[in-house]
Amino acid sequence: MTALQEATVRELLTTVRPDAGAATSYRASGLWRDTTFTDDLRRLAREIPHAVALVNRRGRHGRDDVLTFQQLADRTGRIAAGLRALGVRRGDVVAVQLPCWWETAALTLACDRLGAVIALLMPDTGPRELEQALAVTGAHVLVLADVAEGVRNAEATASMAGRLPALRHRVVLGGTVASGVAVPAGALDFTTSLLRCTDPLPDPTPLHPDAVCLVAFAFASGTPGTSGTPGTATGVMHTSNTLHAAVAAPAHHEGGEGRAVSQAVASSPSHVLGHARNALYPLVNRAPAHCADVWDAAVFLDMLARNRTERIFASAWKLARLVAEQQQRPRPLNGLRMVVNTSMPLSREPASLIRDVLCRRLVNSWGMAETTDGPCTDPEDPDDRLVRSIGRARTGVELRLDAEPDAPAGVSRLFVRSASTCLATFEGDSGRLRWDSAGTGGWFDTGDLVTPDGRDGLRLVGRAADRLGSGAWMVPARDVEEELLGHPAVHDVTIVGYPDPAQDG
């Protein structure tokens, strides 16, 4: 076992490095750079201070919070001063467990300004998994909502403090202002301690763009495009540059007039995609992000119509809900230019419904927390191309297909190498290194099995970890088409054979 494999997560934060050849290539292509998101925000606050950066729908309060680049920069600076007053220094870990609020974006950008490492935690992460993540990362500060996904997480963390010697502060956002629930004893109020801090603004000390700046936790579900094996947690380490590549990639990037477009993501900001698209996309592309803090198809569609959102990212399950809601109560979505399906490929009728009800330009985009760029279909592809296909590699993305033992002919294991691929992954419970870029030439084993789609692209078969034997594997029996047609979802697990690539499945 190498020294890197024996390192703790705290040691990995400063020791893992990108593959040297890949770093040179990505810089030459412009996908990696020598500046940071802190540089972007300061520049935009000077150049276009009154342009809109974020529109945040607060569903429970029935209002939109709109932040310009100047306002975002001001609040980011205040929060950075507050974190500095709490003792946060360059390289310290700040854990974030917040809903889709503008404060989440400002907090993560404040960490970037200080050079603190962000540990992203989903709002519905349970107390056991939360404590495990805090322990393995050695987080110094935890910022969380008083109530998230119906759970009073702030109260649940009180008993953890004595078992987490590295954790110095718990900061709660919400309290009496948002929910009528008082901040728990021993915790600090976000607004008082961070947002209204009057200390002088700290000088920017961001980490090097190739250093780990973010740790996210991906929990495997056993379906394609997820991490690890079912029931396990994987820690994913990203840098400023891998995140920059996630939002700066040229594929499907611009509007019809050669400009960046406004967009909305129907996922948590504590997911890598949500963080990149909500907090970072506006800084790189000078175009606003629109987000809602509750998942409600009616709220989301109303937000799209009100703000003339031009592009949305959503899973097939959420697209099904949006289609059903739009059919029941149509809104003017004439600003919408593209729909990006971020989960399993669609079957024929769901694809047609999405195009008829939401937007004609529809893309299947494969990705995961470890590597947000992979193959995708083209927005002009006909419906039959979208059926079960994940398309071809985009510009700057390399795919490798390796033979899978005991698999039927034509089934291969998918490896990806791209500028958005993370630097390393580790076991969520032990912190032991699982994969690193430099040690593998940047090739990441996705664990997904694919076959040719018959049109120079790929079709997903399943996950290698879920195969029960030659020619069979376990998949959820829930079908996206049933979701879109309004039939009850099936929740059991069944055993099926590998699909025939010649059929539409």
Side-chain angles (χ1 to χ4, degrees), residues 319-378:
L319 289 174
R321 296 297 189 265
L322 293 175
V323 166
E325 171 63 28
Q326 180 68 0
Q327 286 178 314
Q328 182 175 351
R329 185 165 67 89
R331 287 93 165 154
L333 299 179
N334 45 349
L336 195 57
R337 297 169 177 268
M338 184 182 297
V339 173
V340 181
N341 167 38
T342 60
S343 62
M344 68 184 81
L346 302 165
S347 54
R348 186 183 305 277
E349 188 152 359
S352 297
L353 274 172
I354 292 170
R355 283 183 154 170
D356 290 342
V357 176
L358 298 180
C359 179
R360 291 304 305 169
R361 290 166 62 85
L362 171 64
V363 169
N364 286 336
S365 181
W366 179 99
M368 56 204 314
E370 293 88 341
T371 178
T372 57
D373 280 337
C376 66
T377 58
D378 189 272

Side-chain angles (χ1 to χ4, degrees), residues 10-11 82 94 104 127 131 142 155 176 179 199 208 231 249 269 280 284 314 318 406 446 473 480 500:
R10 291 288 298 175
E11 291 168 335
V94 175
T104 313
E131 183 171 354
L142 167 64
E155 293 181 359
T176 56
S179 64
D199 286 8
H208 189 279
L280 307 181
V284 175
K318 289 183 176 178
D406 302 323
T446 69
W473 81 104
V480 179
D500 180 351

Side-chain angles (χ1 to χ4, degrees), residues 147-166:
V147 178
E149 305 295 333
V151 179
R152 293 187 175 181
N153 289 330
E155 293 181 359
T157 61
S159 62
M160 302 177 191
R163 299 189 296 269
L164 297 168

Side-chain angles (χ1 to χ4, degrees), residues 217 250 395 417:
F217 288 88
T395 303
R417 181 166 66 180

